[in-house]
Amino acid sequence: MANIVKQPCDEGVIRSKPCIEPCSRNLRSWILAATILGSSMAMIDNTVVNVALPVLQTVLNATAADVQWIVESYALFLAALILVGGSLGDRFGRRRIFAYGVALFAAASVWCGLAPNVNQLIIARAVQGIGGALLVPGSLAIISASFSAEQRGQAIGTWSGFTGITSALGPVLGGWLIENASWRWIFFLNVPLAAIVLSIALWRMPDFDEEGTATKLDWWGAGLAAVGLGTLVYGLIESSHLSLAHPRVISALAVSVVALLAFIFVEANSRAPMMPLTLFRSRTFSGANLLTLLLYSALSGVLFFFPFNLIQVQGYSATAAGSAFLPLILIMFLLSRWSGGLVGRYGAKCPLTIGPIIAAIGFGLFAIPGIGGSYWTTFFPAVFVLGLGMAITVAPLTTTVMGAVEVRQAGIASGINNAVARTAGLLSIAVLSIIVLRAFNFGLDRRLAPLKIPPEVQQVLDQQRIKLAGAEVPAGLSNELSAVLRRAIAESFVDSFRLVIFIAVGLALVSALIAALTLKKREKSNRTSTQAS
């Protein structure tokens, strides 16, 4: 155990030194349980919300841009503040900040469930992102401080696997709640989980305060990151219904460039940066984070648009759409402990090259299905292969990132890697949404041109384009024309979804190439950032 100040034993005695076996094993079990459930809150929420997006679009009469903001407001604050979350844990105690994050996340979840309109839901999701920024980096940092270098890989693999299996239940249960109760209950799911985590954290988890970690917080860096990413995403989303040349879009993108450049300058010159640029001198650390950026951009883009395909095009129920993700998550669970030990046996290079290549094949299989057909012959092969590729990648990637720095920097390293993953999803959804909308419009125009539909019908359809596959056909048309128009909308969305898939394949293959070029065949899991350089 790493520098534990006060640690309760089974007998209830408070000791000033770390407990010896078997007490330490008992404590590590509690620690794993709390970090697994805490991380599961954020993961379940993310997957459940994706499944609910088509329903939210209909119930709240939301546009495609509104739906993006439901996801992006959460991802924005999570990505911008997760680095501060890691630093707060290192300074004030990882258990304390972890518990604060869980409590805030749960309170924001209740707000989401009670939100009367899409605007309040977006704001509540932003508050959820702040809570997530406190709890997510704390999970891995606590594990890193609690397990020895030899045990850390398997511990992270166990964490990865069990968070996966709890996440697997989320979309299925969430889909069932959407169908049989209300979409609001998908947010209330977090409340009982939070109660369990807080109970363990307050009464069973030791504190992890370490001497020498009380540094000044980098609020300038956090503010510039939030402004830079926020204005960038705002500009990209607004460009989907305005244009890249619109003054509002140009202004937002200009502010983003200035803020992000200022962020880099501040981090390079700060005495206590939230993102120490010196960490990137490590080839292993830099390569692993670049791989994370590319692979998670691909994964986030596909998982964002996939539920729209299933529910609005293929006609799946919300429960069936949630269940479609089960093979991916179950495979990651079953293989996580095994894959967690791959770095120790083979080094980082092998699994982090092979895994993304298999994931690229899985992404490619999503492009094969059209409209209709059984799940088992259409999307199951794609989900299965993608799950295999991600299972080989995720635990070794996390182990590699955490092993490239000193234990005292675990919170910062965890924060940076999580920030990279969240930023990848944030930017991927914003950029791919522009591409999807343009591809959808192109496909729809091409299919409507031969039909010679009345101008008033064309006008209604033009107003509905912003909803993509959720576009509604005007009432009062003949059954035959209505069916043709619905088919044209569905086929146009499938075309745009396939374009997302092709981009995802390219990103996954490039991430494999990055691993092959930057990672060594063998890396010790406890190397410091200086050694890894």
Side-chain angles (χ1 to χ4, degrees), residues 195-383:
I196 296 172
V197 174
L198 289 174
S199 298
I200 296 174
L202 295 177
W203 283 288
R204 297 298 303 178
M205 184 185 291
D207 209 345
F208 296 93
D209 294 328
E210 297 181 6
E211 295 181 1
T213 59
T215 57
K216 184 178 179 181
L217 294 176
D218 184 13
W219 293 114
W220 275 105
L224 289 170
V227 171
L229 291 174
T231 51
L232 176 59
V233 171
Y234 175 80
L236 292 173
I237 292 178
E238 288 298 301
S239 70
S240 64
H241 63 87
L242 297 175
S243 70
L244 287 173
H246 193 279
R248 191 192 307 171
V249 175
I250 293 176
S251 299
L253 296 180
V255 171
S256 172
V257 171
V258 173
L260 292 176
L261 289 176
F263 170 77
I264 295 174
F265 177 81
V266 168
E267 298 308 290
N269 293 277
S270 173
R271 292 182 179 180
M274 69 177 189
M275 188 180 75
L277 300 183
T278 54
L279 292 180
F280 291 92
R281 294 174 184 172
S282 165
R283 187 174 180 179
T284 298
F285 187 79
S286 298
N289 278 288
L290 183 55
L291 186 156
T292 301
L293 179 68
L294 296 172
L295 186 60
Y296 277 82
S297 292
L299 183 65
S300 299
V302 172
L303 295 186
F304 178 80
F305 290 103
F306 187 41
F308 291 96
N309 191 349
L310 292 179
I311 294 176
Q312 294 179 339
V313 175
Q314 309 297 336
Y316 283 40
S317 66
T319 305
S323 302
F325 293 98
L326 274 175
L328 184 152
I329 301 173
L330 289 176
I331 291 169
M332 292 181 67
F333 167 73
L334 295 173
L335 298 183
S336 61
R337 189 170 181 84
W338 165 77
S339 65
L342 290 176
V343 174
R345 292 195 295 270
Y346 304 107
K349 185 174 184 176
C350 181
L352 294 182
T353 301
I354 294 175
I357 291 175
I358 296 176
I361 297 172
F363 284 132
L365 293 175
F366 278 95
I368 296 177
I371 300 176
S374 168
Y375 167 77
W376 300 105
T377 58
T378 54
F379 294 110
F380 172 74
V383 174

Side-chain angles (χ1 to χ4, degrees), residues 86 106 114 130 135 141 247 318 432 520 522 526:
L114 298 176
I130 298 173
L135 77 88
L432 290 176
K520 296 180 180 179
R522 287 187 180 273
N526 62 341

